Amino acid sequence: MSTAPTTPQRPPRTGLGTGPAPASGASPAPGTASAPGTVPAPADKHTRRFGLPVATALVMGNIIGGGIFLLPASVAPYGTISLVAFGVLTLGAITLALVFGRLAHRLPRTGGPYVYAREAFGDFAGFLTAWSYWITTWVSNAALAVAAVGYLDVLVPLHGSKPATIAAALLLQWLPALANLAGTRYVGAVQLVATVLKFLPLLLVAVGGLLSFDSANLGPFRASGDGALGAVSASAAILLFSYLGVESAAVSAGEVRDPRRNVGRATVLGTLAAAALYLLTTLSVFGTVPHERLVASTAPFTDSVNLVFGGSWGGSAVACMALVSMVGALNGWTLLSAQTPYAAARDGLFPKVFARKRRGVPTAGVLVTAVLASLLTVYNYTAGTGGVFETLVLVTTFTATVPYLLSTAAQLYFLLSGRPDRVHRPRLVRDAVLTLTAFGFSLWLVAGSGHAAVYQGVLFLFAGVLVYAWRAAREHRAAAAGDPSGT
């Protein structure tokens, strides 16, 4: 990895986000970067910094949730040209992963996109990034838990009982939350085990399907009747959000050993592993399930497993794989849901309670996220108002991409604001092209979320402006009263 151009020193900020400087010789606060080449020692036996395997598992586990089990049927109506869309999206995701790796090398601190946006564009941009990402995490956790209950019902019939369904959904949310509260040592262990348990069975299904591959099952290359560009764009709109989560290692950079080196590697390796699994499993299902049946299928992996291995046990096998996949994703996203508010709280942009850590984990962030996701889950099952929960989930498809846009814009700012006499022109051009490609990919993600998601997402995003205004006013009053901490 080349060294990016050096950025000029920014003057100290005043007002919101300004706090007392640490005393000379004081140890770095948890989650912040130490001097280059040093690694803070874990606080206790429950705290452990993530190595490259766990950081890679965090990226891969957060990218692969439950959507993989429906993707083949979702894109089948467009024909095998959807595999071309997969390839294009994979290239876009890898460019984004490379940009995050470069940003983490420059600013290896907990918070990821929030840190980059604030460093480049100031407190307000940083706050909007943190606010947007936080909304995404807890709404997505509720959606994951609701989806996981559907697979749990295959293994443990809930018999349509609403109380049992709600209890199961809450249990699926709180078990990962408890793992997080136990400490980063256990978060990493759960994430690594869950990722291995989801990767190996899916890989087995993919290999088994490829060995039984029959090209007669593929159907037409363009099944929708649209032109090639239209078919690729339409299938890409469905696949776009399959790669959300590439930023996972960057968000948790403060918990990663040697983040300047490992965050970038974990981001790229995790993205590549997830992409390979997506492509292999989709191609496998395409080649084992007849096209006409696949288009109408509501359980494509189940159909594929039953056809390849025989019998009718595919439903239970796929339900087990889906549950493990979703619990692993819930574990990782719960960690991320606390990391961004933690970083923002340390800078005075979120309430200070989010900056408190225990066993290496921002406990308030984990608890608040779990409570909000639980309330949304209960509302989903009891309100009886159709479409509200689905609308919130749709909103997250927009809010998840706002940090990507601001992060890639921040990288472009860092590249172009470096000292001209210290810039290596070929590397600058290469990194600028990479960043612009990642920015275009992020913009494509926004466009793919649809008009309704963008409209409603903007409303959610701007609702955070009121929170920022309240915090800014409070900081101003505290500074006027001689208490710059705002407490």
Side-chain angles (χ1 to χ4, degrees), residues 170-208:
L170 295 179
L171 181 65
L172 288 168
Q173 283 179 354
W174 279 93
L175 284 178
L178 292 175
N180 273 264
L181 292 173
T184 52
R185 177 177 184 174
Y186 306 100
V187 176
V190 170
Q191 193 65 24
L192 188 59
V193 170
T195 300
V196 171
L197 289 179
K198 81 166 70 171
F199 183 81
L200 292 180
L202 285 170
L203 186 61
L204 178 63
V205 170
V207 172

Side-chain angles (χ1 to χ4, degrees), residues 231-330:
V232 169
S233 298
S235 53
I238 297 173
L239 300 170
L240 278 171
F241 301 96
S242 302
Y243 287 106
L244 293 182
V246 297
E247 75 289 346
S248 301
V251 173
S252 296
E255 317 307 328
V256 178
R257 287 197 298 270
D258 192 4
R260 295 183 186 276
R261 179 173 180 267
N262 285 334
V263 168
R265 292 186 176 190
T267 302
V268 173
L269 289 174
T271 303
L272 285 173
L277 199 58
Y278 278 151
L279 289 167
L280 286 175
T281 52
T282 302
L283 183 60
S284 174
V285 173
F286 272 24
T288 53
V289 182
H291 182 259
E292 296 77 12
R293 179 174 174 179
L294 182 59
V295 170
S297 177
T298 56
F301 269 73
T302 297
D303 292 341
S304 179
V305 169
N306 287 339
L307 288 169
V308 172
F309 298 101
S312 58
W313 52 275
S316 297
V318 172
C320 287
M321 287 188 287
L323 268 177
V324 170
S325 181
M326 291 184 180
V327 169
L330 278 165

Side-chain angles (χ1 to χ4, degrees), residues 28-410:
T32 60
S34 306
T38 63
V39 177
D44 57 46
K45 65 179 181 179
H46 303 289
T47 304
R48 178 172 294 174
R49 299 174 76 82
F50 302 150
L52 180 60
V54 174
T56 302
L58 183 64
V59 175
M60 183 181 172
N62 284 0
I63 290 176
I64 301 176
I68 187 174
F69 298 97
L70 291 175
L71 279 180
S74 300
V75 298
Y78 301 100
T80 51
I81 196 172
S82 57
L83 296 175
V84 176
F86 246 134
V88 173
L89 288 173
T90 298
L91 292 176
I94 291 171
T95 61
L96 190 60
L98 289 169
V99 170
F100 273 120
R102 282 160 166 73
L103 286 165
H105 184 269
R106 180 188 296 275
L107 297 165
R109 302 201 298 269
T110 293
Y114 156 76
V115 173
Y116 315 143
R118 180 174 180 265
E119 182 69 21
F121 308 122
D123 289 338
F124 186 60
F127 173 83
L128 285 182
T129 302
W131 177 261
S132 179
Y133 197 76
W134 185 53
I135 290 175
T136 300
T137 55
W138 63 264
V139 175
S140 296
N141 273 13
L144 274 170
V146 170
V149 168
Y151 288 102
L152 180 64
D153 194 38
V154 175
L155 303 172
V156 183
L158 302 175
H159 304 296
S161 169
K162 185 175 290 186
T165 301
I166 293 174
L170 295 179
L171 181 65
L172 288 168
Q173 283 179 354
W174 279 93
L175 284 178
L178 292 175
N180 273 264
L181 292 173
T184 52
R185 177 177 184 174
Y186 306 100
V187 176
V190 170
Q191 193 65 24
L192 188 59
V193 170
T195 300
V196 171
L197 289 179
K198 81 166 70 171
F199 183 81
L200 292 180
L202 285 170
L203 186 61
L204 178 63
V205 170
V207 172
L210 292 175
L211 292 175
S212 304
F213 191 90
D214 184 354
S215 59
N217 292 324
L218 292 176
F221 182 64
R222 294 204 310 265
S224 64
D226 297 330
L229 183 59
V232 169
S233 298
S235 53
I238 297 173
L239 300 170
L240 278 171
F241 301 96
S242 302
Y243 287 106
L244 293 182
V246 297
E247 75 289 346
S248 301
V251 173
S252 296
E255 317 307 328
V256 178
R257 287 197 298 270
D258 192 4
R260 295 183 186 276
R261 179 173 180 267
N262 285 334
V263 168
R265 292 186 176 190
T267 302
V268 173
L269 289 174
T271 303
L272 285 173
L277 199 58
Y278 278 151
L279 289 167
L280 286 175
T281 52
T282 302
L283 183 60
S284 174
V285 173
F286 272 24
T288 53
V289 182
H291 182 259
E292 296 77 12
R293 179 174 174 179
L294 182 59
V295 170
S297 177
T298 56
F301 269 73
T302 297
D303 292 341
S304 179
V305 169
N306 287 339
L307 288 169
V308 172
F309 298 101
S312 58
W313 52 275
S316 297
V318 172
C320 287
M321 287 188 287
L323 268 177
V324 170
S325 181
M326 291 184 180
V327 169
L330 278 165
N331 181 66
W333 280 107
T334 299
L335 175 65
L336 299 191
S337 71
Q339 297 285 23
T340 298
Y342 163 79
R346 283 184 51 81
D347 296 328
L349 302 182
F350 265 49
K352 291 295 183 186
V353 66
F354 285 98
R356 297 173 186 168
K357 274 192 172 186
R358 185 170 180 267
R359 297 181 173 182
V361 176
T363 51
V366 171
L367 289 171
V368 171
T369 293
V371 169
L372 288 173
S374 297
L375 291 174
L376 183 55
T377 301
V378 173
Y379 178 82
N380 173 65
Y381 288 114
T382 59
T385 304
V388 175
F389 183 75
E390 290 77 8
T391 298
L392 288 174
V393 173
L394 186 63
V395 165
T396 65
T397 62
F398 168 75
T399 58
T401 58
V402 171
Y404 294 175
L405 282 169
L406 289 171
S407 295
T408 51

